[in-house]
Amino acid sequence: GENVEQHPSTLSVQEGDSAVIKCTYSDSASNYFPWYKQELGKGPQLIIDIRSNVGEKKDQRIAVTLNKTAKHFSLHITETQPEDSAVYFCAASKGDKIIFGKGTRLHILP
Amino acid sequence: KAGVTQTPRYLIKTRGQQVTLSCSPISGHRSVSWYQQTPGQGLQFLFEYFSETQRNKGNFPGRFSGRQFSNSRSEMNVSTLELGDSALYLCASSWTRRFEETQYFGPGTRLLVL
C-alpha cells in the first residue's frame, strides 16, 4: 500500500537559517501533497500544498517542490523564526486516501 | 468562521470501558475524517464520513466505529478500550469527500487508557 517516508525526524537550525524537510511516496497515482504544521496542544494546520501538475509553489518564506519522477517532495522554510518551531507533517493523497509522514520536529535555535 | 471543535479535550478511561468522542465541523463542511495520532505511529486515518455515510475506512479493528448526523456533526466510539488506544484523536473537516481538498483539523481529544 501507499507509504510516505519523511526525513529527518528531528531538525535543529539557527534562527535566520533555512530548514528543509523531505518526503518520499510510493504510489505514483498520488496527486495532492499537503504540508501541515502542528504546534503543542493544537491540531495540524495546513501551511502549503502542491498538486501533481505543478513542480514548485511558494508562499512568502515557505516553498514546496515536487519531483514526480523520483516521487519525492520537499518543504523549504527560509529565514527561520522562533515561531517556526513545531512538528511538520507531509502527506500524499490520491482522492480517496491520504497517508501522512511520521513528522519532523523542527527546533529553531536562538 | 468558527473552526473545528472537539469535545471533550481530555479523557481518562480504564481498560475495557468504552468512549465516545464528538466533533463539530466547520459550518458548511460535509466531510468529517477521524485520525489517531501516537508518537510511534504518527497520524493514522481511521475513517471518513460524508452525508451521514462512512465512505472510507483505515486499518483499525471493529472496536473503532463512528457516525455522522444530519448536521454533519460526527461521533467516534471506541469499545473495550485497550492500553494501546491511548492517543490524540483528531477530526478534520472539508467541503468534499476527496482528500485532495484542504482538511481543517480540530485541536483533538487526548485519551488516556489506564
Side-chain angles (χ1 to χ4, degrees):
Chain A
E2 171 70 292
N3 186 46
V4 176
E5 299 276 347
Q6 182 172 347
H7 298 281
S9 56
T10 306
L11 178 61
S12 296
V13 301
Q14 212 69 39
E15 183 179 346
D17 287 351
S18 295
V20 180
I21 302 171
K22 299 182 179 182
C23 288
T24 59
Y25 60 100
S26 58
D27 190 342
S28 56
S30 294
N31 56 10
Y32 176 63
F33 307 91
W35 285 89
Y36 286 86
K37 174 183 180 183
Q38 187 174 23
E39 297 174 307
L40 199 62
K42 298 183 179 180
Q45 279 195 303
L46 181 76
I47 56 171
I48 195 166
D49 56 13
I50 192 167
R51 299 186 187 274
S52 57
N53 58 347
V54 175
E56 184 173 358
K57 185 176 177 180
K58 191 174 181 181
D59 182 3
Q60 299 182 338
R61 297 186 297 107
I62 294 172
V64 58
T65 58
L66 171 65
N67 183 326
K68 281 168 50 181
T69 304
K71 289 189 282 188
H72 67 70
F73 55 113
S74 301
L75 177 72
H76 304 252
I77 306 174
T78 58
E79 300 171 15
T80 53
Q81 298 169 5
E83 54 265 35
D84 294 330
S85 292
V87 179
Y88 292 81
F89 293 94
C90 64
S93 164
K94 60 175 181 178
D96 61 351
K97 188 188 294 186
I98 184 165
I99 305 294
F100 287 84
K102 290 279 177 74
T104 296
R105 186 172 295 278
L106 176 62
H107 298 279
I108 306 301
L109 307 172
Chain B
K1 185 185 274 191
V4 177
T5 58
Q6 291 187 246
T7 56
R9 293 292 312 276
Y10 304 92
L11 208 48
I12 299 175
K13 292 285 187 178
T14 56
R15 278 180 298 173
Q17 287 187 308
Q18 69 95 28
V19 66
T20 299
L21 313 180
S22 180
C23 172
S24 292
I26 290 173
S27 178
H29 285 191
R30 296 167 64 190
S31 171
V32 174
S33 298
W34 287 90
Y35 298 85
Q36 182 194 66
Q37 185 176 27
T38 59
Q41 298 300 317
L43 265 167
Q44 291 187 288
F45 172 70
L46 279 156
F47 31 65
E48 183 241 348
Y49 285 86
F50 183 82
S51 293
E52 302 177 63
T53 302
Q54 187 182 93
R55 300 289 185 169
N56 287 296
K57 194 175 190 307
N59 296 324
F60 279 81
R63 299 185 297 107
F64 292 82
S65 63
R67 59 178 175 167
Q68 186 179 34
F69 302 95
S70 57
N71 61 358
S72 294
R73 190 178 70 84
S74 177
E75 286 182 347
M76 190 194 97
N77 185 76
V78 187
S79 62
T80 319
L81 284 166
E82 300 177 0
L83 296 179
D85 297 333
S86 294
L88 180 67
Y89 290 89
L90 293 158
C91 84
S93 74
S94 62
W95 288 104
T96 72
R97 61 172 295 265
R98 293 189 67 80
F99 289 112
E100 297 140 330
E101 302 297 327
T102 300
Q103 292 189 86
Y104 296 86
F105 282 85
T109 294
R110 188 163 294 281
L111 171 64
L112 177 62
V113 181
L114 301 176

